[in-house]
């Protein structure tokens, strides 16, 4: 490999992979891979140089109120933990986290114009489960028995971590103690690639809030320092059992991280798969959000790891395509706003009392209320359209007048409603009485009609009986057709049933059709009522067979 570190342009890294020539085969494998980065640190680079170039600009932005993230990515054994946390042998081997803590607290002590508060949290993501590295129960409990850190999301899609403690650190010593406590609780295992390989992703977060004395504006910022677990090819390392399970989870989470990076680098991409893993959910702001993010790619320049190094460089260049929009995190402290508003109200009251030469209280006195009531009553009773209600430039009196007029209006509406309901009930009572009287008259009329019908039915029954007697006498005197007599007697018997009126008519029709009605009229004519007699005469005169009936009568008389 070769490094071309030019200050004017971007630094470039070239990796040359010689072809392994094999007899009898054509090998067109690519030999040279060239990548450009903002800065490249060779193997001899010191930790302070890395901090000054990478972490210091981000820390300055965090102190100014912006969010920041620094994360190290690379294969296992390439130096991520050494870069982020540092080595334990020499003081000069301190990594980015302790140097950033020292720099931040030095700056906070120098700046006396603001009041700063700092908090620290340390999250470990092991096998896709979150744990609090600053939990004091780590020493006495197994990892499986500790409470898991869970992700919660508010309606504004802000991520909140449950069961993750925020420890206040007032100085550098307290913050470093918390860092060392978390480092001792990390999951470390020996692998073929590294004697002390970190088997989990760790996120060390520094929360800073600043406020100027007397100001209601608070600036809140956070700095994520992320040490990712190293990717490894199981086929190369040959691990098994518990290490294999850890490697699968590590590679899966890094795969999801790469998916998010690819999605963010693509234009017109509607969905970003942040929720695929816990790490991408926690680092949502850092990846394509409100944050200034710096990535450190660590390479292992070794013949066995050359493919992984090239893959890491490609991943780093995809990360460089992402554009974040960092904004200043300012918010208003509601408690300070309340205090300021109360102070402003009191000052305005003092000014008002000075202008009006009257000390106003929050409520009107009883005398003022009575005076206002009289003014309102006079105003309402005055029929002059040009009359005005003058209560002065006092909002308390104006509000009271409006409330009083509203109450009077509501009262008049209620009284009108009651009066209307009373009238309605009276009208309903009157209508009810009239209806009852009409119903009574109709019932009496109905009863009268029933009586008349009963009288008519009785009269019809008597007439039928007389007609029946006359027919029987006629049957005894003349030997008429027996069938005719039987049918006529059956009809007369049916006419004595409850449906008498219709049966009697049928009997009359039947008798007229067999030319016996003239005889019936002759036998019963002297005893029929006047109305029935007149109707019978009209019927006889208008009948179509009247001539035939008269001829038959003459013939019967001769016989």
């Amino acid at each position: 490999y070769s490094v071309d570190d030019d200050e004017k342009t971007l630094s470039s890294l070239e990796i040359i992979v010689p072809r392994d020539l094999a007899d009898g085969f054509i090998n067109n494998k690519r030999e040279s891979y060239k990548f450009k980065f903002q800065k490249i640190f060779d193997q001899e680079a010191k930790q302070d140089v890395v901090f000054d170039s990478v972490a210091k600009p981000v820390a300055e932005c965090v102190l100014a109120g912006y969010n920041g993230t620094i994360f190290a990515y690379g294969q296992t054994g390439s130096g991520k933990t050494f870069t982020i946390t540092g080595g334990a042998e020499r003081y000069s081997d301190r990594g980015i986290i302790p140097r950033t803590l020292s720099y931040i607290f030095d700056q906070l002590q120098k700046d006396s114009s603001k009041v700063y508060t700092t908090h620290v949290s340390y999250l470990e993501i092991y096998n896709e489960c979150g744990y609090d590295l600053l939990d004091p129960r780590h020493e006495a409990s197994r990892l499986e028995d500790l409470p898991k850190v869970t992700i919660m999301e508010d309606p504004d899609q802000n991520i909140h971590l449950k069961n993750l403690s925020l420890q206040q650190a007032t100085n550098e010593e307290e913050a470093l103690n918390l860092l060392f406590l978390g480092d001792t609780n990390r999951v470390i295992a020996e692998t073929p690639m590294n004697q002390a390989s970190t088997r989990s992703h760790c996120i060390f977060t520094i929360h800073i809030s600043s406020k100027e004395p007397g100001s209601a504006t608070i600036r809140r910022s956070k700095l994520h320092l992320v040490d990712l677990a190293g990717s490894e090819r199981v086929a190369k390392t040959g691990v098994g059992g518990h290490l294999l399970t850890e490697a699968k989870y590590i590679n899966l989470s890094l795969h999801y991280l790469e998916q998010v990076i690819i999605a963010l680098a693509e234009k017109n991409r509607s969905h970003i798969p942040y929720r695929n893993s816990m790490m991408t959910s926690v680092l949502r702001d850092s990846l394509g959000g409100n944050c200034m993010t710096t990535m450190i790619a660590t390479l292992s320049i070794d013949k066995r790891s050359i493919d992984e190094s090239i893959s890491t460089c490609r991943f780093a260049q995809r990360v460089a395509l992402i554009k974040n929009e960092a904004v200043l995190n300012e918010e208003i402290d509601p408690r300070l706003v309340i205090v300021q508003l109360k102070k402003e109200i009191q000052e305005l009251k003092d000014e008002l009392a000075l202008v009006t030469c009257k000390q106003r209280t929050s409520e009107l006195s009883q005398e003022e209320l009575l005076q206002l009531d009289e003014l309102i009553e006079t105003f309402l009773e005055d029929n002059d359209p040009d009359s005005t209600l003058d209560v002065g430039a006092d909002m308390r009196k104006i509000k009271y007048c409006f409330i009083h007029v509203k109450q009077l209006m509501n009262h008049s509406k209620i009284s009108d409603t009651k009066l209307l309901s009373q009238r309605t009930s009276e009208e309903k009572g009157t209508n009810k009485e009239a209806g009852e009287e009409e119903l009574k008259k109709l019932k009496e009329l109905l009863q009268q009609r029933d009586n008349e019908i009963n009288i008519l039915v009785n009269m019809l029954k008597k007439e039928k009986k007389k007609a029946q007697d006359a027919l029987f006498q006629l049957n005894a005197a003349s030997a008429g057709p027996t069938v005719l007599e039987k049918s006529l007697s059956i009809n007369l018997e049916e006419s004595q049933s409850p449906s008498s009126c219709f049966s009697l008519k049928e009997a009359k029709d039947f008798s007229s059709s067999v030319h016996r009605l003239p005889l019936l009229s002759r036998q019963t004519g002297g005893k029929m009522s006047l109305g029935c007699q007149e109707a019978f005469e009209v019927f006889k005169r208008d009948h179509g067979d009247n001539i035939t009936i008269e001829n038959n009568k003459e013939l019967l008389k001769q016989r």
Side-chain angles (χ1 to χ4, degrees):
Y1 76 96
S2 61
V3 177
D4 183 10
D5 195 358
D6 190 357
E7 293 182 358
K8 295 181 181 179
T9 60
L10 294 176
S11 303
S12 62
L13 170 68
E14 185 177 9
I15 300 174
I16 298 173
V17 184
R19 294 184 184 136
D20 296 325
L21 296 176
D23 294 335
F25 293 96
I26 299 172
N27 190 350
N28 290 328
K29 188 177 178 181
R30 183 177 171 183
E31 276 191 327
S32 175
Y33 298 88
K34 196 167 186 179
F35 304 98
K36 288 191 175 183
F37 300 101
Q38 288 175 323
K39 186 71 177 176
I40 298 174
F41 304 97
D42 209 344
Q43 297 185 47
E44 292 80 15
K46 301 295 182 182
Q47 292 277 50
D48 54 350
V49 177
V50 175
F51 169 76
D52 290 338
S53 300
V54 175
K56 192 174 179 180
V58 180
E60 289 173 352
C61 292
V62 171
L63 289 171
Y66 297 89
N67 294 335
T69 300
I70 301 171
F71 71 95
Y73 177 90
Q75 75 171 115
T76 182
S78 59
K80 297 182 301 300
T81 304
F82 182 80
T83 305
I84 294 293
T85 306
E89 294 181 1
R90 293 185 299 273
Y91 183 74
S92 59
D93 289 341
R94 290 179 304 148
I96 286 177
I97 296 179
R99 290 177 183 273
T100 303
L101 289 173
S102 299
Y103 178 77
I104 286 176
F105 282 105
D106 286 343
Q107 294 300 115
L108 296 185
Q109 287 179 357
K110 291 177 182 177
D111 188 5
S112 58
S113 62
K114 296 180 181 178
V115 179
Y116 291 92
T117 56
T118 54
H119 293 81
V120 167
S121 65
Y122 209 169
L123 171 67
E124 177 184 43
I125 302 174
Y126 174 70
N127 289 354
E128 207 53 34
C129 294
Y131 299 97
D132 183 9
L133 287 175
L134 302 181
D135 192 338
R137 290 172 287 183
H138 256 285
E139 297 177 359
S141 304
R142 294 185 304 166
L143 192 64
E144 295 80 9
D145 299 333
L146 292 171
K148 292 181 174 60
V149 176
T150 55
I151 296 175
M152 306 185 78
E153 190 173 339
D154 62 12
D156 296 331
Q157 293 188 342
N158 295 318
I159 296 297
H160 303 276
L161 299 173
K162 187 181 178 182
N163 295 329
L164 181 64
S165 62
L166 268 179
Q167 306 287 341
Q168 186 170 3
T170 56
N171 52 44
E172 180 186 353
E173 185 180 355
E174 290 181 7
L176 289 174
N177 287 336
L178 293 170
L179 170 65
F180 299 148
L181 172 66
D183 285 340
T184 55
N185 293 329
R186 288 187 69 173
V187 178
I188 297 174
E190 183 178 352
T191 65
M193 299 290 290
N194 191 355
Q195 287 186 351
S197 176
T198 52
R199 312 302 292 167
S200 62
H201 309 295
C202 291
I203 303 173
F204 185 83
T205 308
I206 307 166
H207 301 265
I208 301 174
S209 62
S210 62
K211 181 184 67 174
E212 294 182 0
S215 173
T217 305
I218 298 178
R219 288 185 179 179
R220 300 184 189 276
S221 58
K222 55 186 177 181
L223 173 60
H224 294 300
L225 300 167
V226 186
D227 179 19
L228 299 177
S231 60
E232 57 186 90
R233 292 192 177 180
V234 178
K236 283 188 177 183
T237 57
V239 295
H242 198 56
L243 291 176
L244 178 61
T245 305
E246 292 173 348
K248 285 193 292 185
Y249 275 109
I250 292 168
N251 290 340
L252 184 64
S253 62
L254 293 174
H255 167 67
Y256 287 140
L257 174 64
E258 187 168 10
Q259 279 188 340
V260 170
I261 298 297
I262 291 171
L264 288 168
E266 290 180 3
K267 293 183 178 179
N268 302 323
R269 183 72 176 261
S270 60
H271 173 67
I272 309 298
Y274 286 116
R275 290 190 179 93
N276 283 352
S277 70
M278 185 174 184
M279 182 180 61
T280 52
S281 297
V282 173
L283 297 177
R284 174 183 288 188
D285 277 345
S286 305
L287 305 170
N290 174 25
C291 192
M292 302 186 70
T293 304
T294 300
M295 175 189 169
I296 303 171
T298 57
L299 307 181
S300 176
I301 301 299
D302 184 65
K303 188 180 290 187
R304 293 175 300 172
S305 307
I306 200 70
D307 292 336
E308 286 83 353
S309 299
I310 293 171
S311 175
T312 301
C313 291
R314 286 173 174 162
F315 178 78
Q317 291 203 323
R318 280 196 293 269
V319 172
L321 296 175
I322 300 172
K323 291 184 179 180
N324 284 6
E325 294 181 2
V327 296
L328 194 62
N329 301 306
E330 286 186 340
E331 60 184 47
I332 305 298
D333 189 357
R335 292 174 296 178
L336 290 175
V337 172
I338 291 169
V339 172
Q340 287 183 353
L341 290 175
K342 285 182 177 179
K343 185 179 179 182
E344 187 176 352
I345 289 169
Q346 188 59 43
E347 290 176 355
L348 290 172
K349 283 183 178 180
D350 295 340
E351 288 183 11
L352 192 61
L354 185 63
V355 172
T356 58
C357 299
K358 291 182 181 179
Q359 189 67 34
R360 290 186 179 179
T361 57
S362 58
E363 295 180 358
L364 294 169
S365 64
Q366 195 67 28
E367 295 178 359
E368 289 176 326
L369 293 177
L370 291 173
Q371 186 180 0
L372 287 173
D373 291 341
E374 291 177 0
L375 286 172
I376 293 169
E377 190 175 352
T378 307
F379 173 72
L380 293 176
E381 290 176 354
D382 192 357
N383 294 325
D384 186 7
D386 296 330
S387 63
T388 58
L389 178 62
D390 188 10
V391 294
D394 192 343
M395 284 304 298
R396 299 171 303 163
K397 293 182 179 181
I398 294 171
K399 286 181 180 178
Y400 176 79
C401 289
F402 275 111
I403 293 169
H404 192 72
V405 171
K406 186 177 180 181
Q407 289 174 352
L408 291 174
M409 290 289 292
N410 291 336
H411 183 68
S412 63
K413 284 182 182 178
I414 292 168
S415 60
D416 291 344
T417 307
K418 287 182 179 178
L419 185 60
L420 182 62
S421 62
Q422 187 176 359
R423 287 179 181 174
T424 307
S425 61
E426 289 176 359
E427 290 175 0
K428 284 182 180 177
T430 308
N431 293 336
K432 189 175 180 182
E433 291 175 0
E436 288 177 354
E437 289 179 1
E438 189 176 356
L439 181 63
K440 189 177 180 181
K441 288 179 181 179
L442 289 172
K443 283 182 178 179
E444 290 175 355
L445 185 61
L446 183 63
Q447 186 66 34
Q448 186 177 354
R449 293 288 182 270
D450 287 342
N451 293 336
E452 292 175 358
I453 290 169
N454 289 333
I455 292 168
L456 290 171
V457 168
N458 291 331
M459 288 174 66
L460 287 170
K461 284 181 179 180
K462 289 178 183 179
E463 297 293 337
K464 280 189 282 181
K465 192 174 182 183
K466 289 177 183 179
Q468 191 177 10
D469 293 341
L471 285 172
F472 277 127
Q473 289 174 7
L474 181 63
N475 190 21
S478 63
T482 57
V483 178
L484 182 62
E485 290 174 2
K486 288 179 182 179
S487 61
L488 188 58
S489 65
I490 289 166
N491 248 334
L492 288 170
E493 284 175 4
E494 288 176 355
S495 69
Q496 292 176 0
S497 65
S499 59
S500 57
C501 185
F502 300 106
S503 298
L504 181 60
K505 287 180 181 177
E506 289 170 4
K508 284 181 178 180
D509 293 342
F510 183 70
S511 61
S512 66
S513 67
V514 295
H515 319 302
R516 302 293 289 273
L517 272 172
L519 182 61
L520 180 64
S521 173
R522 188 184 63 190
Q523 294 291 335
T524 62
K527 298 177 182 179
M528 289 173 71
S529 62
L530 293 174
C532 288
Q533 205 165 356
E534 290 175 3
F536 191 50
E537 292 295 332
V538 173
F539 171 73
K540 285 195 297 180
R541 189 174 65 247
D542 295 339
H543 200 274
D545 296 335
N546 191 23
I547 301 169
T548 309
I549 290 170
E550 293 296 330
N551 293 335
N552 288 340
K553 280 170 68 177
E554 294 295 329
L555 184 62
L556 285 171
K557 284 179 181 179
Q558 290 174 7
R559 286 183 180 178

